[in-house]
Amino acid sequence: GENVEQHPSTLSVQEGDSAVIKCTYSDSASNYFPWYKQELGKRPQLIIDIRSNVGEKKDQRIAVTLNKTAKHFSLHITETQPEDSAVYFCAAGRPMIYNQGGKLIFGQGTELSVKP
Amino acid sequence: DTGVSQDPRHKITKRGQNVTFRCDPISEHNRLYWYRQTLGQGPEFLTYFQNEAQLEKSRLLSDRFSAERPKGSFSTLEIQRTEQGDSAMYLCASSLALRAEEETQYFGPGTRLLVL
C-alpha cells in the first residue's frame, strides 16, 4: 500500500543554522507533496507544497525539492529561529482524477528543536 | 474565524459509549476529510466527502465508525461502542477542489478523544 517514510524523527539545530527533513514515498502516482507544521496542541498548518511539474519551490526561508525519479522530497529551512520549533509532517497525494485521489498519506513527523 | 472548526475540542468518555464529533469546513469548500492522529504519529486518512457524497473509506474505519455530510456543508463522525484504542485526535480538513491540480487541504483544530 501507499507509504511515506520521513527522516529524521528528531532534529536539533542551533539558531541560524539550516535544517533539512527528507521524505520518501512509495506511490508513483503521487503528484502533490505538502508540508505541514504542527505546534503542540494545535492544528497542522500548511507551510509549503509542491506539485510534480516542478522540481523546487521556495518561500522566504523555506524551500522544498522534489525528485520524482527517486521518489524523494525534502524540506529545507534556512536561518532557523526558535519559533520554527515544532513537529513537521510531509505528505503525498494522488491527483483527484485518480482512484483514491485527494487523500494525503503522511510521514511519521520530525520534531525540530531550534536552540537559541 | 473563517477556518475549519471542530466541536467539541475535547471529549472524555467511558468504554462502550457512543460519541459524535462535528466539523464545519471553510465556507464553500466542497471536499471534507477526516483523519485520525495518535501521539507521535502523522495523521491517518479515515474518509472523505465531495459535497454530500462519501467517496472513500479507509480500512481503518471499522463498522463502529460512521460519517455523514447530509447537506454538503458540515460533517459528523460517530463512533459507536467506543474502545480504548479509539483514543486519538480526530482531525477534519476541507478543500476547494475545482481543478485536479489545485486542491489544498486546511485542517481544523481537532477533537481529542480519551476513552477510559
Side-chain angles (χ1 to χ4, degrees):
Chain A
E2 307 116 338
N3 188 44
V4 175
E5 294 288 334
Q6 183 173 345
H7 298 281
S9 56
T10 60
L11 179 58
S12 182
V13 299
Q14 287 295 131
E15 183 176 1
D17 287 350
S18 295
V20 180
I21 303 171
K22 298 183 178 182
C23 289
T24 303
Y25 61 98
S26 62
D27 184 1
S28 57
S30 296
N31 78 330
Y32 175 57
F33 307 93
W35 285 87
Y36 287 86
K37 175 184 180 182
Q38 188 174 31
E39 296 176 46
L40 190 62
K42 296 194 175 180
R43 72 185 75 193
Q45 291 204 309
L46 180 73
I47 56 171
I48 195 167
D49 58 11
I50 191 168
R51 300 184 192 271
S52 61
N53 56 340
V54 298
E56 184 173 358
K57 184 177 178 181
K58 191 172 182 180
D59 182 4
Q60 299 182 33
R61 298 186 296 109
I62 296 173
V64 57
T65 59
L66 171 65
N67 182 332
K68 280 218 79 177
T69 303
K71 297 183 191 173
H72 289 170
F73 58 113
S74 301
L75 177 72
H76 303 251
I77 306 174
T78 58
E79 301 171 24
T80 53
Q81 301 167 3
E83 51 265 39
D84 294 331
S85 297
V87 179
Y88 291 80
F89 292 98
C90 64
R94 290 182 165 194
M96 283 175 8
I97 58 173
Y98 272 64
N99 180 33
Q100 299 186 341
K103 70 179 181 186
L104 295 175
I105 306 299
F106 282 83
Q108 300 89 338
T110 296
E111 184 174 2
L112 174 64
S113 176
V114 180
K115 299 187 185 306
Chain B
D1 185 355
T2 56
V4 179
S5 61
Q6 292 186 245
D7 184 69
R9 296 291 307 278
H10 304 273
K11 180 70 177 179
I12 300 175
T13 191
K14 293 182 179 178
R15 190 177 54 186
Q17 297 295 304
N18 299 345
V19 294
T20 300
F21 310 141
R22 176 179 170 127
C23 171
D24 286 87
I26 294 171
S27 179
E28 299 182 357
H29 275 196
N30 57 347
R31 281 199 164 197
L32 188 149
Y33 296 81
W34 285 99
Y35 292 86
R36 180 171 69 187
Q37 185 177 28
T38 54
L39 203 61
Q41 299 296 316
E44 294 176 293
F45 169 78
L46 293 178
T47 188
Y48 85 90
F49 294 83
Q50 177 145 326
N51 300 312
E52 61 274 8
Q54 188 173 17
L55 296 187
E56 186 182 351
K57 294 195 294 186
S58 163
R59 282 170 289 181
L60 292 175
L61 215 64
S62 75
D63 56 6
R64 296 185 298 105
F65 288 71
S66 62
E68 293 183 342
R69 194 183 183 198
K71 297 181 180 178
S73 56
F74 73 92
S75 175
T76 58
L77 178 68
E78 181 183 16
I79 310 175
Q80 296 182 325
R81 306 182 302 281
T82 52
E83 302 172 356
Q84 289 182 325
D86 297 332
S87 296
M89 173 78 87
Y90 289 84
L91 291 164
C92 174
S94 73
S95 70
L96 178 60
L98 295 178
R99 291 169 52 179
E101 302 304 313
E102 296 184 353
E103 184 187 18
T104 299
Q105 293 182 31
Y106 298 92
F107 281 84
T111 294
R112 185 169 294 283
L113 173 66
L114 177 61
V115 182
L116 301 176

